[in-house]
């Protein structure tokens, strides 16, 4: 599948082609970097993600050639994930689904392995623009999350408004999940930053606020690093289900997680792994002006 139908007719070797997609209104700018060795610098990433001067997205995703280690593990391509502040992160479930869809179309297969900082992820088609991704393992180890000191990660004794007695976990990125009686999404920007910026989390943390609806249904909203109330968070949905199962709040291996922009299906499987299934959608494609005059035009194809 050709991601972009044409290259620009103007003589502008500093244009980068991109495709913008979303998974439940979690927006990503995706650039194919398999033919380019020089990575984006922080200024490029911040500008590309800007809604004022760039394509606008919650993260920049680059598709790159797999490393030697990834290639040995069977990875078809490597995905790198950058937040709007230019910092690289290890995992994003919604991002993985979007990139997986593009690569499945490109390879005309039903399964593709994608290398990430958190490991090689198995991705499969699951219906019309529905993608399943196997994520994990989920860890409660305080050093892996990471935390600044050893604590009982099953009972994090931090309090901010209605948030208390959370669970700290890692699924390639750090999360703190709090269960509340009634989820009020508009209140999260008031309370979540206190947790996100607590010294307990030296790399910051994604703050999930969850309401148990029944034994197989959860409502969830997530305050993401570096400070965004997102419409959906795939890894946040995975760890919320894991934490709820651990506390006996849900009893089904398959749980529906309702996020502000829609729902994800989360299945707990062996070895602390999770299969997340959800939709992907296209927004637009085009060209972004590059900052390095020597960078060639990229055609995503």
């Amino acid at each position: 599948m050709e991601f972009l139908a044409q290259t620009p007719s103007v003589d502008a070797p500093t244009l980068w082609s991109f495709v913008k997609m979303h998974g439940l209104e979690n927006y990503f700018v995706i650039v194919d970097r398999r033919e380019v060795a020089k990575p984006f610098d922080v200024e490029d990433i911040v500008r590309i993600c800007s809604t004022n001067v760039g394509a606008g997205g919650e993260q920049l995703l680059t598709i790159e050639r797999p490393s030697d280690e990834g290639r040995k593990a069977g990875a078809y391509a490597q995905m790198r994930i950058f937040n709007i502040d230019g910092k690289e992160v290890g995992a994003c479930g919604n991002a993985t689904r979007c990139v997986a869809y593009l690569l499945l179309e490109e390879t005309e297969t039903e399964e593709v392995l994608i290398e990430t900082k958190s490991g090689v992820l198995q991705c499969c088609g699951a219906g019309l623009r529905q993608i399943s991704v196997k994520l994990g393992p989920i860890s409660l180890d305080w050093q892996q999350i990471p935390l600044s000191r050893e604590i009982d990660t099953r009972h994090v004794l931090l309090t901010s408004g209605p948030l208390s007695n959370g669970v700290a976990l890692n699924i390639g990125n750090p999360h703190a999940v709090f269960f509340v009686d009634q989820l009020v999404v508009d209140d999260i920007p008031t309370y979540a930053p206190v947790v996100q910026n607590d010294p307990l989390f030296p790399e910051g943390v994604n703050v999930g606020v969850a309401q148990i609806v029944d034994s197989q249904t959860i409502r969830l909203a997530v305050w993401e690093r570096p400070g965004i109330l997102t419409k959906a968070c795939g890894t946040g949905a995975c760890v919320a289900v894991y934490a709820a199962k651990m506390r006996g709040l849900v009893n089904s291996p398959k749980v529906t997680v309702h996020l502000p922009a829609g729902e994800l299906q989360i299945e707990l499987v062996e070895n602390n792994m999770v299969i997340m299934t959800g939709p992907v959608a296209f927004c637009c494609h085009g060209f972004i002006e590059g900052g390095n005059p020597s960078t060639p035009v990229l055609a995503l194809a």
Side-chain angles (χ1 to χ4, degrees):
M1 172 185 177
E2 289 192 359
F3 299 173
L4 300 181
Q6 60 182 9
T7 55
S9 58
V10 295
D11 182 18
T14 59
L15 294 183
W16 296 318
S17 57
F18 74 91
V19 60
K20 183 173 176 178
M21 298 182 69
H22 74 89
L24 295 179
E25 298 184 40
N26 196 188
Y27 293 95
F28 309 103
V29 181
I30 306 170
V31 179
D32 189 346
R33 304 283 285 176
R34 283 175 286 186
E35 301 302 325
V36 178
K38 182 183 181 299
F40 286 125
D41 57 32
V42 171
E43 290 75 16
D44 289 329
I45 296 167
V46 171
R47 179 170 48 79
I48 289 170
C49 290
S50 169
T51 56
N52 294 322
V53 296
E58 293 172 70
Q59 288 176 322
L60 170 68
L61 313 178
T62 63
I63 300 173
E64 305 187 8
R65 294 183 183 277
S67 67
D68 290 341
E69 191 172 304
R71 193 175 295 108
K72 289 177 183 177
Y76 175 74
Q78 178 181 179
M79 176 183 69
R80 297 179 68 187
I81 308 165
F82 301 91
N83 279 343
I84 59 174
D85 58 1
K87 294 181 180 177
E88 186 170 5
V89 296
C92 177
N94 290 325
T96 305
R97 291 205 319 279
C98 290
V99 169
Y101 180 85
L102 295 175
L103 297 179
L104 286 168
E105 289 290 300
E106 180 177 286
T107 59
E108 299 183 338
T109 60
E110 289 299 315
E111 179 180 317
V112 68
L113 299 180
I114 301 175
E115 181 183 7
T116 71
K117 283 188 68 177
S118 300
V120 175
L121 305 181
Q122 179 185 18
C123 308
C124 304
L128 182 61
R129 290 197 176 169
Q130 294 275 328
I131 301 293
S132 290
V133 180
K134 191 173 187 180
L135 297 164
I138 296 174
S139 174
L140 291 160
D141 184 280
W142 71 276
Q143 293 175 307
Q144 291 185 22
I145 292 171
L147 304 181
S148 59
R149 64 183 186 277
E150 184 176 2
I151 65 167
D152 179 1
T153 56
R154 292 169 174 79
H155 298 280
V156 179
L157 302 180
L158 293 178
T159 300
S160 178
L163 311 184
S164 65
N165 189 24
V167 181
L169 318 90
N170 184 288
I171 187 173
N173 54 1
H175 287 266
V177 179
F178 295 87
F179 296 98
V180 296
D181 293 332
Q182 185 66 42
L183 174 61
V184 181
V185 176
D186 290 344
D187 289 349
I188 292 176
T190 301
Y191 303 117
V194 174
V195 177
Q196 178 200 348
N197 297 314
D198 191 278
L200 180 64
F201 304 102
E203 296 180 6
V205 70
N206 301 296
V207 183
V209 184
Q211 174 191 338
I212 304 300
V213 177
D214 56 40
S215 62
Q216 54 188 9
T217 311
I218 294 175
R219 290 184 63 220
L220 175 73
V222 179
W223 180 262
E224 286 190 340
R225 300 181 300 171
I228 299 173
L229 180 59
T230 184
K231 292 290 189 70
C233 178
T235 56
C238 293
V239 296
V241 172
Y242 185 93
K245 180 75 171 179
M246 182 189 69
R247 288 196 173 177
L249 301 174
V250 297
N251 58 22
S252 173
K254 294 183 179 181
V255 176
T256 300
V257 179
H258 292 275
L259 297 138
E263 65 183 47
L264 294 171
Q265 304 299 320
I266 306 298
E267 179 181 3
L268 302 177
V269 292
E270 71 286 345
N271 301 319
N272 296 325
M273 301 294 287
V274 183
I275 296 175
M276 174 193 61
T277 303
V280 301
F282 286 93
C283 301
C284 61
H285 61 75
F287 298 91
I288 311 164
E289 186 174 357
N292 182 356
S294 65
T295 303
V297 173
L298 301 179
L300 285 168

